[in-house]
């Protein structure tokens, strides 16, 4: 009699115990599918369209004559994930010698550019090629200090970790593109733009009364009035007649509400308190008269002094003319005699000539 033995599932590999393995707990291995006789074509093979060949240069962060570098469409968990592609449709084993030699240079150059970013410790370079027949190399940046992300599971951690801020991501893209552009090509990634914020409105910092007014439809609604404010000149100031009094045959005006009437009374009291007394008005009139008299006296004194100054200037001019009549003619003598008996230019003119000559020499040089 043959005893039936239950199939024992394969044991879990040892790497599940590594610190870099991103999962823990009870794990179960999937059963392996049977192999297929013919593998399906990849993108860019047979009748399948190649996405890399159809992509415009605007979809990349840097483009050159024979190579292009693109990024993901959004930030991921790692500081940087980039893909290096050949512009021509080749797979790795189909590269001609020129592109094969350039591929090594481009890998080193792009790895250095990514490693130069802040917070990047290592750059993992991978090539799988199971999804597309167009050559593409993956570059994944491991964050500095994250020792748990070391090793072969970095691609899994990229999907598990929360995405980095988009502003930082765009800044990293611009830095890598600029680094590559130092050796040629054209950078297309731009740094993030500064998000300017408009200053706060003055209405927010206004007084409480103004805030209440802004909440209403108008100032008149805030004070409960719908008519224009009264004319101060038409108010009865202490029983005195006013020039703006209404004629007897004028139509009657409706009485103002209590709040407006109280405000008018307060304004009239303020105007009355601001007017001086009769004694003060008389004192002000005397002071004004004295001030005008002082101004007139100062004007007369100034006119007399000006006349005396003009007379003195005329006398001095006459004396100068008399002295000039007895002097020899300046045109018959040398203006600036020298030790050799030749006339020389003024000293200032000589300085100007030196400056002009030096300027001319500098321009000629």
């Amino acid at each position: 009699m043959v005893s039936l033995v239950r199939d024992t599932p394969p044991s879990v590999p040892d790497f599940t115990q590594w610190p870099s393995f991103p999962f823990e707990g009870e794990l179960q291995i999937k059963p392996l599918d049977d192999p297929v006789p013919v593998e399906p074509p990849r993108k860019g093979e047979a009748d399948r369209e190649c996405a890399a060949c159809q992509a415009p240069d605007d979809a990349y962060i840097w483009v050159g004559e024979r190579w292009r570098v693109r990024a993901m469409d959004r930030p991921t968990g790692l500081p940087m994930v980039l893909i290096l592609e050949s512009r021509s449709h080749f797979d790795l084993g189909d590269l001609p010698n020129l592109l094969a030699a350039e591929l090594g240079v481009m890998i080193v150059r792009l790895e250095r550019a990514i490693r130069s970013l802040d917070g990047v410790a290592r750059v993992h370079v991978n090539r799988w090629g199971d999804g597309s027949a167009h050559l593409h190399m993956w570059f994944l940046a491991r964050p500095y200090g994250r020792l748990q992300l070391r090793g072969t599971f970095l691609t899994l951690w990229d999907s598990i970790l929360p995405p980095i801020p988009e502003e930082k991501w765009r800044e990293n893209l611009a830095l890598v593109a600029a680094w590559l552009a130092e050796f040629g090509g054209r950078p297309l990634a731009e740094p993030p733009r500064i998000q300017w914020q408009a200053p706060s409105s003055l209405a927010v910092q206004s007084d409480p009364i103004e805030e209440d007014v802004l909440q209403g439809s108008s100032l008149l609604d805030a004070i409960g009035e719908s008519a224009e404010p009264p004319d101060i000149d038409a108010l009865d100031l202490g029983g005195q007649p006013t020039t703006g009094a209404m004629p007897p045959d004028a139509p009657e005006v409706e009485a103002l509400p209590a709040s407006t009437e109280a405000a008018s009374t307060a304004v009239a009291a303020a105007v009355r308190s601001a007017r001086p007394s009769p004694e003060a008005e008389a004192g002000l009139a005397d002071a004004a008269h004295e001030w005008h008299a002082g101004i007139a006296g100062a004007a007369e004194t100034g006119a007399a002094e000006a006349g005396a100054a003009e007379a003195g200037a005329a006398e001095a001019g006459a004396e100068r003319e008399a002295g000039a009549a007895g002097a020899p003619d300046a045109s018959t003598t040398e203006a600036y005699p020298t030790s050799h008996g030749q006339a020389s230019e003024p000293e200032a003119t000589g300085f100007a000539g030196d400056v002009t000559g030096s300027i001319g020499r500098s321009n000629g040089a």
Side-chain angles (χ1 to χ4, degrees):
M1 183 176 180
V2 178
S3 61
L4 299 177
V5 180
R6 180 178 298 180
D7 294 336
T8 303
S11 60
V12 178
D14 293 339
F15 63 75
T16 59
Q17 305 300 322
W18 294 357
S20 60
F21 189 69
F23 306 104
E24 61 183 2
E26 185 177 356
L27 300 175
Q28 184 177 357
I29 298 178
K30 289 183 178 180
L32 189 61
D33 296 336
D34 296 332
V36 297
V38 179
E39 291 191 359
R42 300 172 297 172
K43 294 179 181 179
E45 285 183 335
D47 58 348
R48 296 196 63 182
E49 190 177 73
C50 179
C53 291
Q54 300 297 327
D57 285 350
D58 294 343
Y60 295 77
I61 69 167
W62 174 89
V63 294
E65 184 179 355
R66 291 177 291 273
W67 301 94
R68 299 192 293 183
V69 177
R70 64 184 175 96
M72 303 293 98
D73 58 349
R74 63 179 62 89
T76 58
L78 298 180
M80 183 57 58
V81 177
L82 293 177
I83 301 175
L84 173 65
E85 295 179 353
S86 60
R87 185 178 286 274
S88 302
H89 187 82
F90 291 108
D91 203 348
L92 180 61
D94 303 328
L95 288 177
N97 292 337
L98 175 62
L99 292 183
E102 286 186 349
L103 176 60
V105 176
M106 289 301 303
I107 290 177
V108 174
R109 187 176 297 170
L110 185 53
E111 190 273 345
R112 289 175 178 172
I114 298 175
R115 190 159 40 89
S116 68
L117 300 175
D118 292 338
V120 174
R122 296 285 184 273
V123 180
H124 292 199
V125 182
N126 302 279
R127 185 260 172 179
W128 291 283
D130 286 332
S132 175
H134 196 117
L135 173 61
H136 55 288
M137 306 285 296
W138 290 81
F139 295 76
L140 298 89
R142 179 177 68 80
Y144 186 88
R146 294 287 187 179
L147 302 183
Q148 193 175 357
L149 274 59
R150 294 179 300 178
T152 57
F153 304 112
L154 186 62
T155 56
L156 299 179
W157 283 108
D158 182 46
S159 302
I160 297 173
L161 297 174
I164 65 174
E166 183 173 357
E167 183 178 357
K168 182 63 176 178
W169 176 66
R170 294 189 179 277
E171 180 181 354
N172 289 342
L173 293 178
L175 291 174
V176 173
W179 178 293
L180 296 177
E182 291 292 328
F183 303 92
R186 182 162 51 100
L188 299 177
E190 297 181 355
R193 297 183 178 180
I194 300 177
Q195 301 294 332
W196 295 106
Q197 295 183 358
S200 58
S201 176
L202 296 178
V204 178
Q205 304 177 358
S206 59
D207 296 335
I209 298 178
E210 295 179 358
E211 291 178 358
D212 296 339
V213 171
L214 292 174
Q215 293 176 1
S217 59
S218 65
L219 177 64
L220 298 179
D221 294 335
I223 61 176
E225 179 59 37
S226 60
E228 295 183 358
D231 188 3
I232 297 179
D233 294 336
L235 296 176
D236 183 10
L237 303 179
Q240 300 294 334
T242 59
T243 57
M246 299 179 61
D249 55 348
E252 295 183 359
V253 181
E254 296 181 1
L256 297 175
S259 59
T260 305
E261 187 175 356
S264 302
T265 304
V267 172
V271 173
R272 286 196 300 271
S273 61
R275 289 187 174 180
S277 62
E279 294 80 1
E281 289 180 354
L284 291 175
D286 294 340
H289 180 70
E290 294 179 359
W291 181 78
H292 284 292
I295 291 297
E300 292 178 0
T301 304
E305 292 177 354
E310 289 180 1
E315 265 182 54
E319 292 177 0
R320 284 196 300 271
E321 289 178 0
D329 188 1
S331 61
T332 61
T333 59
E334 295 179 353
Y336 294 92
T338 62
S339 60
H340 299 287
Q342 296 179 353
S344 64
E345 294 294 331
E347 184 178 356
T349 306
F351 175 77
D354 293 341
V355 174
T356 306
S358 59
I359 294 176
R361 290 191 297 273
S362 63
N363 291 336

